[in-house]
Amino acid sequence: MKYLFSTVVSCCLVLVASFAFAGEQTWSFDSDADDWEVANGNWSVEDGTYKLAKGGRAEHSLVGDAEWEDYTVEAKVRLDEGNWAGVVYRAQSEKEYYVYYLNVPNNKTELWRHKESAWDSRDKIGELQGANIKIANGEWFDMRIVVAGNSMKLWINGEDQGELKDETDAGYPAGQIGVWAWETAASFDDVKVAGDAIVNLTPVEPLDKLATTWGRLKQRF
């Protein structure tokens, strides 16, 4: 019986560890985007979305911690006018980051690594042809990017688009997340980042509830 109780407690400790070290942060833009840092472009919160007015090249806004490493980032993206918009991740600065962006004319997603010098200074990592999707203006697309090491996997609307890797020596190991567009008016919503290094602002399980559960288990055994 003691062995069984010890096993149960051990399982609970594993659960506590997962709560302590894994978390997520979300932005629904219901009121503002005060914690976001605009790099360039004309951004505003309207009707519960984060909007960018059509403007110049590589306009983007960032949020989060430059020390975040492996994580999953998700966002709803809508291209209102123009051809290119997407999601930024591993941003080390306003000019150093990765972006997976939707390409309307060619129905594909392109991956670029931006670098110091100018807003449009960048190197192309690769591209993924749209799989079971049709990228178009005026429609919401759910982008999900899983970043682990040099691997960058992409899903759009739940459809697996494939994986690209930055196998150069110029890659970024960690960084903030963000949203981005190139000479395009775009809207973004429900941005989320999750990973072991993310501080969980919406705890999955309150500690007092776990304590109550342990008490009940002890009484039973």
Side-chain angles (χ1 to χ4, degrees):
M1 188 69 69
K2 289 183 178 179
Y3 175 77
L4 179 58
F5 175 68
S6 176
T7 301
V8 172
V9 170
S10 296
C11 292
C12 290
L13 289 174
V14 171
L15 288 174
V16 171
S18 67
F19 296 146
F21 296 106
E24 68 177 41
Q25 296 183 20
T26 61
W27 294 267
S28 60
F29 307 111
D30 290 334
S31 57
D32 56 49
D34 289 346
D35 49 346
W36 286 70
E37 300 176 2
V38 173
N40 57 347
N42 182 9
W43 295 83
S44 62
V45 174
E46 300 176 27
D47 301 323
T49 61
Y50 198 28
K51 290 182 175 292
L52 172 64
K54 188 174 183 180
R57 297 179 174 183
E59 296 183 324
H60 57 291
S61 183
L62 304 174
V63 72
D65 192 330
E67 300 302 317
W68 286 347
E69 295 181 357
D70 296 344
Y71 50 72
T72 298
V73 57
E74 302 178 50
K76 291 181 179 178
V77 182
R78 185 179 70 197
L79 294 87
D80 299 319
E81 181 185 358
N83 296 319
W84 309 284
V87 177
V88 167
Y89 57 94
R90 284 192 175 168
Q92 287 288 292
S93 70
E94 292 181 339
K95 293 181 179 177
E96 299 169 289
Y97 58 87
Y98 292 101
V99 59
Y100 256 128
Y101 68 81
L102 305 175
N103 181 321
V104 173
N106 300 322
N107 196 50
K108 63 183 180 182
T109 307
E110 299 185 30
L111 173 59
W112 291 78
R113 184 185 60 243
H114 281 249
K115 55 189 181 181
E116 286 284 4
S117 180
W119 295 118
D120 57 356
S121 179
R122 58 183 185 159
D123 295 319
K124 188 173 185 178
I125 305 301
E127 60 184 52
L128 299 169
Q129 194 63 39
N132 299 317
I133 60 168
K134 177 60 178 177
I135 301 171
N137 291 103
E139 298 182 16
W140 285 105
F141 293 91
D142 295 319
M143 296 186 69
R144 178 173 180 260
I145 303 163
V146 177
V147 191
N150 68 354
S151 170
M152 306 167 193
K153 299 179 180 179
L154 173 68
W155 286 259
I156 300 176
N157 293 348
E159 298 286 348
D160 187 350
Q161 301 300 299
E163 174 186 18
L164 292 173
K165 296 182 178 181
D166 185 354
E167 298 179 325
T168 69
D169 294 328
Y172 307 133
Q176 297 176 287
I177 65 168
V179 289
W180 180 102
W182 182 292
E183 298 177 346
T184 296
S187 300
F188 304 90
D189 201 2
D190 297 334
V191 178
K192 179 172 73 173
V193 60
D196 290 345
I198 311 301
V199 175
N200 194 349
L201 299 184
T202 52
V204 177
E205 192 74 64
L207 291 179
D208 56 350
K209 185 174 181 180
L210 285 173
T212 301
T213 301
W214 286 350
R216 290 174 180 173
L217 286 170
K218 190 172 181 179
Q219 288 177 358
R220 290 178 60 187
F221 295 100

